[in-house]
Amino acid sequence: SITASMGVSIFPRDGKTAGVLIKNADIAMYHAKSQGKNNCQFYSLSLGMERSKKLLLENNLQNAADNNEFIVHYQPIVDVNTGKIISIEALVRWVHPKFGLISPMEFIPIAEETGHIIRIGEFVLRTACRQNSQWIKMGLSSVPVSVNLSPVQFHQPDLVEMITGILKETGLDSSFLQLEITEGAAMTDSNMVVSLLNRLHDNGIKLIIDDFGIGYSSLNYLKKFPVSMIKIDKFFIRNIASNENDAAVMCALFAMAQALGMKVIAEGVETREQLEVLRSLEFKTIDKFESFGVQGFYFSRPVPAEEFIGLLKDQKLKESV
Ligand code: C2E
Ligand code: CA
Ligand code: CA
């Protein structure tokens, strides 16, 4: 069956010449495609601006790495009961000379499309490893740093060598590095991915499934991949204090993780109420006492390294009261 996506621009509002009108209709047509195809969209100024910003970012990404425009922020992951930091997530930011701080939500997808993610990913890994190694030497950290790995990086032929090389170069023991991977289209159980993840695991690096429970959930890979932890997506935490179903889903996920011998992190904890519900769930569902990790704005937003030192010195965030 054939479907059509249509973009419309109107004279003179969207352009005074045929060339401009057609260009803008084209932008509207691509928007129609991105909205699931088989529909019709009108051109608007904001659509045009969005498109030119994307093109601009796409072009600027090339120089951004050369000009050291990327920085890494750190967010603590703490024990649900004691509030002690159990790991540190490294999150990249782009300090754009014109737009200021750009969220990774905006530029990572573009970097993945264009392949720039390979270079950015390596930069984040090196920075995070060097930083944690330094904190360990200073006696500030005794926990792993968690770095996000894009599925695009799986296709980098020397990925494992790059990672082990950086560990050596920065003097960080592999037990102090964790990699977060998302369940996505690329997370097929292809032999290539399985053997890659096994090699990382054999090198002593722990693997976390990020954003667990949304998108391409397949329980199949949980038993095929050497995964030690699942990070339950913020989507399930958002209404946990008001929605009983969300709490029930969390219980089921805990039980599953425990049966598979995996640890759990709940991300996106923003309020005291959410934390309290999470604490109560643990006791209801898990007979064998086992704690889990929580991460979210309630404890701390991702912050620059200098600021993170303060958190490491504090050690106990929002200590259980
Ligand atoms: P993610 O891996 O799921 O990272 C967690 C995101 O949730 C971060 O957004 C963090 O700031 C945000 N967050 C933390 N606590 C809370 C909370 O309590 N409430 C809410 N609403 N949000 C919270 P951020 O830093 O904007 O990163 C967005 C995404 O960009 C990340 O999602 C990750 O997928 C990607 N990303 C970030 N850094 C890197 C990187 O170095 N490499 C790759 N490949 N992807 C990255
Ligand atoms: Ca993550
Ligand atoms: Ca996540």
Side-chain angles (χ1 to χ4, degrees):
S1 61
I2 296 172
T3 63
S5 298
M6 184 158 55
V8 182
S9 61
I10 298 171
F11 174 86
R13 190 194 68 186
D14 301 333
K16 294 201 172 60
T17 63
V20 173
L21 281 169
I22 289 175
K23 189 188 98 219
N24 289 342
D26 196 50
I27 289 173
M29 190 262 296
Y30 276 102
H31 184 58
K33 280 182 188 281
S34 76
Q35 299 299 106
K37 302 181 179 158
N38 196 22
N39 74 95
C40 167
Q41 295 288 333
F42 284 82
Y43 177 81
S44 69
L45 198 63
S46 69
L47 210 58
M49 271 157 53
E50 215 175 276
R51 172 99 186 135
S52 10
K53 187 169 180 198
K54 188 174 173 230
L55 280 176
L56 191 73
L57 293 186
E58 219 173 284
N59 290 332
N60 287 180
L61 267 175
Q62 190 74 45
N63 293 327
D66 298 334
N67 299 344
N68 297 322
E69 286 170 13
F70 294 111
I71 54 166
V72 179
H73 280 186
Y74 300 89
Q75 188 180 30
I77 295 157
V78 309
D79 182 282
V80 67
N81 291 306
T82 64
K84 269 206 149 134
I85 297 177
I86 55 172
S87 55
I88 305 163
E89 181 168 8
L91 293 153
V92 71
R93 270 97 186 86
W94 180 3
V95 191
H96 192 282
K98 195 163 133 208
F99 302 126
L101 216 61
I102 303 180
S103 152
M105 306 265 253
E106 214 172 330
F107 72 84
I108 293 283
I110 305 176
E112 287 180 331
E113 260 172 53
T114 54
H116 287 106
I117 190 68
I118 304 283
R119 215 171 144 200
I120 299 172
E122 185 169 338
F123 164 79
V124 176
L125 188 77
R126 178 171 285 111
T127 308
C129 287
R130 190 182 294 140
Q131 187 62 77
N132 201 28
S133 176
Q134 198 186 11
W135 281 335
I136 291 169
K137 282 193 194 108
M138 291 164 74
L140 287 171
S141 160
S142 55
V143 297
V145 67
S146 224
V147 177
N148 293 283
L149 197 65
S150 160
V152 175
Q153 292 174 273
F154 290 163
H155 300 286
Q156 190 179 343
D158 59 347
L159 181 72
V160 178
E161 289 74 18
M162 183 274 279
I163 295 172
T164 51
I166 284 181
L167 285 173
K168 218 178 252 157
E169 173 195 321
T170 58
L172 187 72
D173 189 88
S174 62
S175 61
F176 289 107
L177 174 66
Q178 295 173 343
L179 295 173
E180 300 194 7
I181 49 184
T182 39
E183 31 171 4
M187 282 290 283
T188 54
D189 58 352
S190 76
N191 290 339
M192 190 272 279
V193 177
V194 174
S195 96
L196 188 81
L197 297 182
N198 275 324
R199 283 175 62 206
L200 290 170
H201 179 77
D202 292 346
N203 274 291
I205 300 163
K206 287 203 176 64
L207 298 170
I208 303 178
I209 300 282
D210 202 355
D211 304 341
F212 188 82
I214 54 160
Y216 297 79
S217 292
S218 160
L219 298 177
N220 193 28
Y221 61 70
L222 275 187
K223 54 175 211 216
K224 285 206 172 136
F225 293 166
V227 176
S228 2
M229 234 176 283
I230 57 171
K231 198 187 257 194
I232 298 169
D233 192 76
K234 16 186 183 307
F235 176 79
F236 295 103
I237 316 297
R238 197 162 48 204
N239 300 319
I240 200 162
S242 55
N243 186 331
E244 278 185 13
N245 285 341
D246 281 1
V249 169
M250 285 297 291
C251 287
L253 290 175
F254 279 139
M256 183 203 68
Q258 201 191 23
L260 290 166
M262 292 170 189
K263 294 204 176 306
V264 173
I265 295 170
E267 77 176 351
V269 180
E270 294 182 353
T271 65
R272 174 90 213 182
E273 293 70 47
Q274 290 167 337
L275 176 66
E276 234 123 65
V277 174
L278 285 168
R279 279 184 178 157
S280 70
L281 287 184
E282 182 192 36
F283 295 112
K284 252 191 266 170
T285 58
I286 299 177
D287 32 300
K288 183 171 75 130
F289 177 79
E290 201 176 320
S291 203
F292 60 95
V294 279
Q295 176 179 11
F297 295 165
Y298 179 68
F299 306 99
S300 167
R301 289 189 175 253
V303 294
E306 314 82 72
E307 218 172 300
F308 198 82
I309 291 184
L311 300 180
L312 285 169
K313 285 183 175 158
D314 262 6
Q315 260 314 308
K316 280 191 173 188
L317 292 171
K318 296 269 159 57
E319 196 173 351
S320 39
V321 197

